[in-house]
């Protein structure tokens, strides 16, 4: 999910449906200073592997609904996006999607709705994922230590 947010951010900020590769790299590496140029290229490669974007002649186009992605205030992607290691939130979202038979994007949209409408944006992603897991009676207790560690890292 945070990969989707990191990919959506340049498109939403620049209000464009397509970006040149150089614009994407500039936004991630220089404008936001989230990572260096090599890491920004890795982020783009990972997004293509995950089927989030496609590239045609140097132009990047998202393959998901940008409007459905909410960029949290102060969002900064972590380095685990580059390695492909799933975060505890991503793992729990996948578990919810599997248990409900809903697509991951739909579960992610529901989590964003919990954050925005239920808590006016004042709820951490980790807590919202647990709320949605409880809503569908999906077990999450085994992920609590990792979720707590994730929250502690962000402080």
């Amino acid at each position: 999910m945070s990969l989707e947010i990191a990919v959506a951010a340049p498109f939403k900020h620049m209000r464009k449906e397509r970006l040149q590769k150089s614009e994407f790299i500039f936004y991630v590496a220089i404008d936001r200073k989230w990572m260096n140029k090599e890491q920004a290229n890795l982020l783009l490669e990972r997004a293509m592997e995950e089927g989030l974007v496609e590239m045609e002649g140097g132009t990047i186009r998202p393959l998901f609904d940008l409007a459905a992605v909410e960029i949290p205030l102060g969002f900064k992607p972590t380095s685990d996006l580059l390695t492909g290691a799933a975060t505890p939130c991503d793992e729990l979202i996948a578990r919810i999607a599997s248990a409900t038979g809903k697509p991951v994007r739909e579960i992610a949209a529901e989590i964003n709705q919990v954050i925005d409408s239920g808590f006016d944006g004042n709820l951490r992603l980790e807590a919202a994922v647990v709320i949605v897991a409880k809503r569908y009676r999906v077990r999450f207790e085994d992920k609590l230590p990792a979720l707590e560690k994730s929250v502690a890292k962000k402080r």
Side-chain angles (χ1 to χ4, degrees):
M1 185 160 138
S2 53
L3 177 62
E4 195 170 272
I5 295 170
V7 171
F11 292 96
K12 290 183 79 142
H13 183 257
M14 293 186 217
R15 294 183 173 98
K16 291 184 175 181
E17 292 182 14
R18 294 177 186 266
L19 291 174
Q20 294 296 317
K21 181 179 178 182
S22 59
E23 291 176 301
F24 184 91
I25 302 300
F26 177 85
Y27 180 86
V28 171
I30 297 168
D31 186 39
R32 294 296 162 177
K33 296 182 178 133
W34 285 343
M35 52 192 69
N36 64 37
K37 290 178 186 177
E38 292 79 25
Q39 291 170 323
N41 277 307
L42 284 174
L43 176 70
L44 186 55
E45 286 175 26
R46 176 110 197 287
M48 286 189 284
E49 289 169 6
E50 295 289 325
L52 295 175
V53 296
E54 72 176 2
M55 191 167 347
E56 291 177 13
T59 302
I60 305 164
R61 183 176 69 87
L63 299 175
F64 59 96
D65 182 16
L66 291 172
V69 178
E70 192 69 34
I71 317 265
L73 188 64
F75 171 78
K76 182 175 182 180
T78 57
S79 61
D80 60 350
L81 287 180
L82 305 175
T83 62
T87 66
C89 287
D90 292 338
E91 292 171 5
L92 194 49
I93 290 168
R95 187 182 293 176
I96 297 166
S98 175
T100 62
K102 294 181 178 183
V104 171
R105 285 183 179 32
E106 193 173 315
I107 299 300
E110 191 171 335
I111 291 166
N112 284 331
Q113 185 178 12
V114 166
I115 293 169
D116 293 338
S117 59
F119 295 89
D120 293 328
N122 296 317
L123 185 69
R124 292 193 182 268
L125 172 64
E126 294 82 358
V129 172
V130 169
I131 290 170
V132 173
K134 283 182 135 182
R135 181 180 292 165
Y136 291 111
R137 293 181 175 85
V138 173
R139 90 185 150 76
F140 61 88
E141 294 81 7
D142 61 319
K143 296 290 177 196
L144 281 177
L147 291 168
E148 290 170 354
K149 187 176 179 183
S150 175
V151 169
K153 278 186 194 175
K154 294 179 183 176
R155 288 189 186 163

